[in-house]
C-alpha cells in the first residue's frame, strides 16, 4: 500500500513501463506531492540517492486527465493501472489489489483537487516531443522559469535487468530451493553501512539458517549472513533518524538498521524474522535464548 512519509507525501515502490508499449516494467519509487502539484518517480527512494538527484520522470498533476484500472488493456500484467497525461498512458504495476486501489484513489483525488481548468493547456512543445518519442531511461526534470524542462536519460539493458528485481531469484536461493530449503522471505531493503554510515539497497533472503543480504538478486554469494543463533531481537526503529519504515535487527555484536519499502513490508520483515528465530530456538533448546521470545 502507498504510505505517507514524514512530509505528508504519498509514496512507495511500483513497477513502471517507462518506454510506452515496450512491455518492460522497471522498479521505481513513486512520490505524489500534492502540495507541490507533482507526481514523480526515482530510481530509488530519494533518501538513498545523492542530494539533488532529479527524478527519472515528473508529471504535473494538472496534466493528469485520468487514472484507471488497466488490466483489460494489459491482461498479462497483474494489478496494472494507467495514468493518462499529456496524451500518453503511463502503465504501472502495483504489488497487489489493495496497493493498486490505493494508488488509483490517491492520484485521482490529488489531481481532482489541484487541477485548475485554466492551467490544463500549459503543455510545452518540448513536452509534446518527449511524449511522442519517449526515452527508455526516462527524463531528468528541472524546473526553469516556472516550467518543467525534461532531458532524456540514457539507460542500458543491463540497468533494467538489475533494477527490475520483483520476480528474479538469486542463484544461491535457487540452489537452496533445489535442496528443498525454501526461503521464508525475500526482497529488497535498504541497509545502513557498518563503518561508513551510508545507505545501500540490498537483496535480503531469510531462511532457516539465517538472514543474508546480497548486492543484487543475481549474486551467488551474500555480502553477509547473520546466523539465527546471533539474532537477539527485531523491532521497529524509535530513534532520531528521519527515515520511514526503519527497523532494527539486534545481534550479539551489532545492530543492523534496515529500511523496508512500506510500513506493511517493515511489519512483515519483523514478524518473519522473529517467528523464524523463535522456531529455531524451539527446535534447538540448548542454544542461547534471546529476547525474541
Amino acid at each position: 500500500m502507498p504510505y505517507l512519509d514524514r512530509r505528508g507525501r504519498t509514496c512507495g515502490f511500483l513497477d513502471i513501463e517507462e518506454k510506452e508499449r515496450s512491455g518492460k516494467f522497471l522498479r521505481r519509487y513513486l512520490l505524489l506531492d500534492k502540495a507541490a502539484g507533482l507526481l514523480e518517480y526515482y530510481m530509488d527512494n530519494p533518501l538513498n540517492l545523492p542530494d539533488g538527484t532529479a527524478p527519472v520522470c515528473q508529471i504535473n498533476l494538472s496534466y493528469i486527465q485520468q487514472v484507471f484500472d488497466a488490466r483489460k488493456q494489459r491482461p498479462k500484467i497483474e494489478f496494472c493501472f494507467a495514468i493518462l497525461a499529456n496524451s500518453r498512458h503511463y502503465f504501472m504495476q502495483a504489488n497487489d489489489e489493495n496497493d493498486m486501489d490505493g494508488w488509483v484513489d490517491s492520484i485521482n483525488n490529488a489531481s481532482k483537487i489541484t487541477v485548475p481548468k485554466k492551467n490544463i493547456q500549459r503543455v510545452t512543445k518540448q513536452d509534446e516531443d518527449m511524449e511522442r518519442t519517449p526515452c527508455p531511461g526516462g527524463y531528468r526534470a528541472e524546473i526553469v522559469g516556472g516550467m518543467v524542462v525534461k532531458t532524456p536519460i540514457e539507460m542500458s539493458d543491463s540497468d533494467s535487468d538489475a533494477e527490475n528485481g520483483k520476480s528474479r531469484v538469486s542463484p544461491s536461493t535457487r540452489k537452496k530451493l533445489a535442496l528443498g530449503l525454501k526461503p521464508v522471505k525475500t526482497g529488497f531493503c535498504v541497509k545502513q553501512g557498518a563503518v561508513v554510515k551510508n545507505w545501500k539497497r540490498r537483496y535480503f533472503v531469510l531462511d532457516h539458517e539465517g538472514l543474508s543480504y546480497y548486492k543484487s538478486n543475481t549474486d551467488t554469494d551474500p555480502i553477509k549472513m547473520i546466523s539465527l543463533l546471533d539474532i537477539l531481537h527485531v523491532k521497529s526503529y524509535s530513534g532520531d533518524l528521519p527515515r520511514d519504515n526503519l527497523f532494527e535487527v539486534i545481534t550479539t555484536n551489532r545492530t543492523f538498521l534496515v529500511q523496508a519499502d512500506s510500513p506493511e513490508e517493515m511489519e512483515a520483515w519483523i514478524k518473519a524474522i522473529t517467528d523464524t528465530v523463535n522456531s529455531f530456538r524451539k527446535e534447538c533448546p540448548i542454544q542461547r535464548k534471546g529476547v525474541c521470545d
Side-chain angles (χ1 to χ4, degrees), residues 5-180:
D5 67 7
R6 300 187 182 199
R7 293 172 56 183
R9 301 173 299 181
T10 303
C11 44
F13 280 93
L14 291 170
D15 291 333
I16 300 176
E17 185 185 50
E18 290 187 346
K19 184 177 181 181
E20 195 171 9
R21 302 185 188 90
S22 68
K24 183 180 291 186
F25 285 72
L26 306 176
R27 197 74 168 163
R28 296 290 181 251
Y29 188 83
L30 198 67
L31 199 156
L32 173 61
D33 192 337
K34 184 176 168 183
L38 295 172
L39 176 68
E40 52 194 15
Y41 57 83
Y42 296 79
M43 300 286 282
D44 194 1
N45 188 325
L47 289 172
N48 306 322
L49 300 172
D51 291 341
T53 299
V56 174
C57 182
Q58 187 178 68
I59 304 170
N60 192 310
L61 291 180
S62 66
Y63 296 165
I64 295 177
Q65 299 163 266
Q66 188 181 10
V67 186
F68 59 94
D69 185 330
R71 285 176 289 189
K72 288 184 179 179
Q73 290 81 358
R74 296 296 178 86
K76 294 183 179 180
I77 306 297
E78 281 190 308
F79 317 121
C80 184
F81 68 95
I83 300 171
L84 175 59
N86 295 344
S87 301
R88 178 193 160 177
H89 287 92
Y90 295 82
F91 287 93
M92 305 188 178
Q93 183 180 23
N95 299 306
D96 53 40
E97 190 87 25
N98 290 333
D99 192 36
M100 181 184 74
D101 291 342
W103 277 112
V104 170
D105 290 343
S106 296
I107 299 171
N108 263 327
N109 291 336
S111 59
K112 284 176 184 176
I113 293 171
T114 58
V115 175
K117 292 183 179 180
K118 63 181 180 180
N119 288 337
I120 291 179
Q121 299 302 320
R122 289 187 64 205
V123 181
T124 66
K125 184 177 185 301
Q126 184 190 29
D127 289 330
E128 294 174 350
D129 292 339
M130 290 292 189
E131 300 305 337
R132 292 194 191 102
T133 56
C135 175
Y139 306 104
R140 189 175 303 283
E142 297 177 282
I143 298 178
V144 180
M147 300 297 292
V148 177
V149 177
K150 297 185 287 185
T151 305
I153 299 172
E154 294 299 327
M155 184 175 183
S156 66
D157 290 339
S158 60
D159 291 333
S160 63
D161 292 338
E163 288 294 328
N164 192 9
K166 186 176 181 181
S167 61
R168 299 287 295 277
V169 179
S170 69
S172 60
T173 301
R174 283 196 292 270
K175 291 179 182 178
K176 290 184 178 181
L177 286 172
L179 295 173

